[in-house]
Amino acid sequence: MRWIGIGAVTLSALLLFVVEPMVVKLALPVFGGSAAVWTTALVFFQLVLLLGYSYSYWITTRVPPRVQAILHVAVVAVPFFGLLPVHLAETTESSSSPFLRVFTSFTLAVGAPLFALATTSSIAQVWLARITGRDPAFLYAWSNAGSLAALALYPLVIEPRVGLGAQTHAWTFGYATFVALMFLFALGTLKRASPQADASELDSEATPQKWRLGYWIALAAVPSLLLTATSTVITVDLASFPLVWVAPLAMYLLTFVLAFSPRVRLKRPSLVLFAQGGLVALALTAAGAGESWWHAPALTVWALFFVSVVAHSDLAKDRPSATHLPLFYACIALGGVLGSLFGGVIAPLVFDSTTEYPIALCLGAILLAEPRTFSTRWKSAIRKKPVQAFIAMGVAVFVGQTVVRIGGWSTDWLTEIQQKLPFALLLVALFAIRNPVVFAVLVCLVVPNRFAVMGNFGELVAQERSFYGITRVYESDNGIRTMVHGTTWHGMEDRTHPDAIPSAYYHPAAPIAQLVRLVPPRGTIAVVGLGTGTISRLATADQSVTFYEIDPTVVRIAQAEFGHLRARGAERPTVVGDARFTLRGVSPASLDLLVIDAFASDTIPAHLLTKEAIEMYVSKLKPTGVVGFHISNRYIDLTPVLRGYPTRSIEAALVRQYRPSPTEKKERAAGCDVVAFARTAGTLDPLRTLGWEDLGSGRTVLWTDDLTSIIPVLR
């Protein structure tokens, strides 16, 4: 019976954390490939876990054991009938909040089976304790080990080799196996439990006090917030793929495995030193590298791991007896929901930058202090006024984050102080590293100062955050205004010379400008991805240019802060929505040029580069039409993906890796890689003399709506 319980718990965790990246991958094409789909999913899954643990607490404390077994088997069996296999319905654009749409889609697709899976670990522990009379906490380690195995298997084994359709059917078979195991486990419980048995008879430990519940919630909330914030800063800069998603989540779950494993002994002082080292390294990077420090993946994952393992070790040491384990896990789940809800939903609505990440770092530094160093006075404050104490801590951190931003400080002497102060404080922090309380205070002083430092592109003119990322506008001293999305610049404009030649990726010598010059007079151009709208300056007044942009924030900023869309006296309309949906309204064989330039920061909206997507693009081209793909990326080589596209409808495919000359650099040209497809062979011949080369017959990687993987195209 013990091994049946272990099998059910491990399989439930495996299924739970395989379906998480799987369903998010199903959702990406529906929601524009946004990295926020993953962070929103973290909130959804944490909420399902909370509901599952709450149900577990209710059923194990309020329902007789024999009824528990029958009721719970029914709960896990119902989703198998009519709700599986997992599928996510394709939706059209909606005016409702993307966050709400993601929640609704996930609830309808996987809400019921996820709820059933989320209940298993805590219920199985109570049942096993009732049968064996032993501490069942080892099952929690088995559960997290299954979760960790799922997160390793999905991006490395399942995703590169198995299509989404096959994945959903295999997952359904796995769920059926889980139902069978739970039936056997429940049957064993019925045979061994007396009709009058009750969970409260397992021991006589008193119900945990409210301050202790708050302590559990706080220890779970901060790592959850740090996980969500870390996932945001990493996925925005890299790509929306499971390989990128699961790295922080795997480290987070590994801390649970280590903390709750009876065979692993963790030394808190050593863990604290490693965590403090990670925080200092992050802060030093911040002090020396401007905004790019938010996207140092190794350091962010390091800090996440060690802060989380300290917090979760404190949780494991304070766990109650078997009777109160469901309440304990419900508190952990509630903390997880609060942390992910703040980082994944509230922060994007309240903050115009990734402010939740430094807040999480500050709270993490506070948690590194030994609980007893706060004295009984701190516990008394939480016991008597838990809500007020929690609000006070949040306000203190928030004030530290915002005080340096009040008034838009811009004087030279103050900026210099803000740049040098972190170094001085960090030197002090290194001497205070053995005193976690002092160290936490210093970290809270260091991190907020980075928000007041000017960006690398000049003074910040505008900044907005949406479901699709953070868009900033900077203006330098010489009047150059730049749009930056995430960490990538998406267009420039010389405000002192409105008629200056286009710059950045759209310089007249760059590949995209060369494609535009192929368009005949009164030709039709469509551009997927607005940016600042610079391409409109490359077209003549009699040529039609229509932009397709998924993010209304980018449209608003491009119209308000840049003049490209008003250039040449021609109207350049913008269609808001995901191009996979909005381009369907374009008449077949009507475009002379279609430019795919829709990357947000360096993330890759893979659904815009699949075989099915490219087939749609080609169908919209005239016989002499061209489709161009801007594929510049620091981490991923997309050339094999386009080379892998079947060529029956394409007679010419060229690529140009443009690197500006010294003269062109002075004109602010930027290097870029562009691939062009043409339906007619001779259409691209004029480009061959300009440095374009055949795409060739090298390594190929075919992406489809059913199967995509980032691993084969990593640089």
Side-chain angles (χ1 to χ4, degrees):
M1 188 55 59
R2 181 175 183 269
W3 285 104
I4 292 178
I6 290 175
V9 167
T10 306
L11 181 58
S12 69
L14 187 72
L15 292 171
L16 185 66
F17 284 89
V18 162
V19 79
E20 185 169 359
M22 183 179 76
V23 75
V24 174
K25 191 166 182 177
L26 284 169
L28 282 177
V30 181
F31 297 98
S34 170
V37 174
W38 174 249
T39 53
T40 307
L42 289 177
V43 182
F44 172 80
F45 281 86
Q46 293 273 22
L47 182 59
V48 172
L49 287 176
L50 173 60
L51 294 175
Y53 286 140
S54 299
Y55 160 82
S56 301
Y57 175 67
W58 169 78
I59 195 174
T60 55
T61 58
R62 299 289 187 270
V63 179
R66 290 187 177 275
V67 180
Q68 286 180 30
I70 297 172
L71 176 60
H72 190 61
V73 168
V75 167
V76 299
V78 165
F80 183 74
F81 299 98
L83 298 177
L84 299 175
V86 175
H87 66 281
L88 202 71
E90 182 180 278
T91 62
T92 57
E93 296 299 311
S94 171
S95 59
S96 62
S97 165
F99 295 103
L100 181 60
R101 290 169 53 212
V102 171
F103 264 74
T104 302
S105 297
F106 286 175
T107 301
L108 295 176
V110 294
L114 285 186
F115 172 80
L117 292 169
T119 65
T120 303
S121 178
S122 54
I123 289 179
Q125 290 185 52
V126 173
W127 286 2
L128 198 60
R130 181 181 296 121
I131 295 171
T132 64
R134 298 177 180 177
D135 183 0
F138 70 92
L139 281 179
Y140 196 63
W142 275 98
S143 174
N144 284 288
S147 305
L148 197 60
L151 293 177
L153 287 172
Y154 190 84
L156 299 177
V157 178
I158 299 174
E159 185 199 19
R161 296 173 175 81
V162 184
L164 284 171
Q167 289 179 29
T168 59
H169 285 87
W171 192 88
T172 302
F173 176 79
Y175 191 87
T177 305
F178 160 72
V179 173
L181 286 174
M182 284 304 299
F183 174 78
L184 294 175
F185 192 37
L187 188 62
T189 301
L190 285 173
K191 290 180 178 179
R192 289 167 173 78
S194 64
Q196 292 79 27
D198 187 86
S200 62
E201 297 176 4
L202 292 175
D203 57 68
S204 58
E205 181 182 348
T207 301
Q209 295 178 319
K210 291 182 180 179
W211 73 264
R212 193 177 178 194
L213 302 182
Y215 176 61
W216 294 341
I217 292 171
L219 287 177
V222 174
S224 176
L225 170 59
L226 189 55
L227 167 65
T228 306
T230 300
S231 299
T232 298
V233 298
I234 290 179
T235 54
V236 163
D237 196 42
L238 292 177
S240 292
F241 276 92
L243 181 64
V244 179
W245 304 333
V246 303
L249 183 56
M251 292 296 100
Y252 173 80
L253 289 175
L254 180 59
T255 64
F256 275 111
V257 175
L258 296 175
F260 283 84
S261 175
R263 298 183 179 180
V264 178
R265 293 187 178 183
L266 302 175
K267 296 182 179 180
R268 194 181 196 280
S270 299
L271 296 175
V272 169
L273 284 177
F274 279 110
Q276 290 173 331
L279 293 176
V280 169
L282 274 173
L284 282 172
T285 310
E291 291 180 354
S292 63
W293 80 286
W294 304 116
H295 307 282
L299 289 177
T300 56
V301 173
W302 175 285
L304 168 66
F305 176 81
F306 283 103
V307 170
S308 298
V309 79
V310 170
H312 295 155
S313 295
D314 291 342
L315 269 174
K317 291 176 183 177
D318 197 47
R319 73 176 183 268
S321 61
T323 300
H324 304 296
L325 281 177
L327 177 60
F328 175 68
Y329 294 135
C331 288
I332 293 177
L334 178 58
V337 168
L338 293 176
S340 61
L341 185 65
F342 179 80
V345 177
I346 297 176
L349 297 176
V350 175
F351 303 126
D352 57 8
S353 66
T354 50
T355 307
E356 68 272 17
Y357 186 64
I359 288 177
L361 292 179
C362 292
L363 291 174
I366 293 172
L367 281 188
L368 296 180
E370 185 76 30
R372 61 173 175 266
T373 63
F374 288 105
S375 77
T376 56
R377 184 178 301 176
W378 178 82
K379 292 183 179 180
S380 177
I382 289 188
R383 186 186 302 118
K384 294 179 180 178
K385 298 181 179 181
V387 176
Q388 293 90 327
F390 182 80
I391 293 176
M393 292 175 62
V395 169
V397 175
F398 182 77
V399 169
Q401 293 293 325
T402 57
V403 67
V404 296
R405 305 177 69 186
I406 296 176
W409 299 344
S410 59
T411 57
D412 294 338
W413 64 271
L414 185 56
T415 299
E416 187 171 350
I417 290 176
Q418 292 163 1
Q419 290 174 336
K420 296 184 181 303
L421 181 61
F423 288 109
L425 291 176
L426 284 171
L427 289 175
V428 178
L430 289 175
F431 289 102
I433 204 166
R434 298 297 299 181
N435 189 325
V437 176
V438 175
F439 178 84
V441 172
L442 291 173
V443 168
C444 293
L445 289 174
V446 169
V447 174
N449 276 276
R450 301 313 305 150
F451 283 92
V453 179
M454 293 172 60
N456 297 331
F457 300 96
E459 181 181 359
L460 184 64
V461 175
Q463 179 171 270
E464 290 192 43
R465 183 175 184 176
S466 70
F467 183 78
Y468 302 99
I470 300 170
T471 305
R472 301 179 177 91
V473 178
Y474 296 95
E475 186 166 325
S476 62
D477 294 337
N478 58 357
I480 303 300
R481 184 165 287 191
T482 306
M483 175 187 285
V484 179
H485 196 287
T487 60
T488 304
W489 48 324
H490 280 209
M492 307 171 67
E493 182 180 23
D494 188 343
R495 302 287 287 182
T496 61
H497 299 86
D499 295 328
I501 62 173
S503 56
Y505 312 117
Y506 313 102
H507 186 277
I512 292 178
Q514 294 169 350
L515 291 179
V516 173
R517 289 197 288 272
L518 293 177
V519 179
R522 293 182 296 279
T524 304
I525 303 172
V527 184
V528 177
L530 174 60
T532 61
T534 315
I535 291 181
S536 61
R537 285 190 180 274
L538 299 173
T540 60
D542 64 344
Q543 290 174 331
S544 170
V545 181
T546 303
F547 291 93
Y548 295 83
E549 171 60 48
I550 193 172
D551 191 351
T553 299
V554 173
V555 177
R556 186 165 55 252
I557 290 178
Q559 293 173 342
E561 305 294 341
F562 296 88
H564 295 311
L565 293 175
R566 298 182 294 274
R568 303 190 185 280
E571 182 179 357
R572 309 301 192 190
T574 300
V575 179
V576 178
D578 188 339
R580 284 292 298 268
F581 297 106
T582 54
L583 279 176
R584 293 175 183 175
V586 176
S587 300
S590 62
L591 299 178
D592 292 287
L593 174 64
L594 173 60
V595 178
I596 309 299
D597 188 15
F599 300 155
S601 188
D602 261 343
T603 60
I604 307 301
H607 70 295
L608 295 182
L609 293 176
T610 63
K611 171 179 173 290
E612 293 81 359
I614 296 176
E615 286 177 348
M616 180 184 69
Y617 304 153
V618 173
S619 71
K620 305 300 180 182
L621 299 178
K622 294 178 181 178
T624 57
V626 176
V627 55
F629 302 88
H630 183 187
I631 60 170
S632 304
N633 194 277
R634 289 170 286 184
Y635 311 107
I636 299 169
D637 180 13
L638 293 172
T639 305
V641 175
L642 294 175
R643 192 183 289 126
Y645 175 69
T647 58
R648 60 179 179 273
S649 58
I650 298 297
E651 294 187 2
L654 301 181
V655 60
R656 188 182 181 200
Q657 296 178 332
Y658 169 65
R659 302 297 178 262
S661 67
T663 301
E664 292 164 352
K665 287 182 179 179
K666 292 180 180 179
E667 296 172 339
R668 293 180 294 279
C672 57
D673 300 341
V674 177
V675 172
F677 286 173
R679 299 183 63 176
T680 304
T683 303
L684 300 180
D685 286 347
L687 300 179
R688 297 182 184 275
T689 60
L690 300 175
W692 291 72
E693 301 176 349
D694 288 319
L695 192 57
S697 57
R699 186 170 62 94
T700 63
V701 177
L702 178 62
W703 281 359
T704 68
D705 286 347
D706 189 58
L707 182 62
T708 59
S709 174
I710 193 177
I711 294 177
V713 293
L714 287 173
R715 292 189 184 276

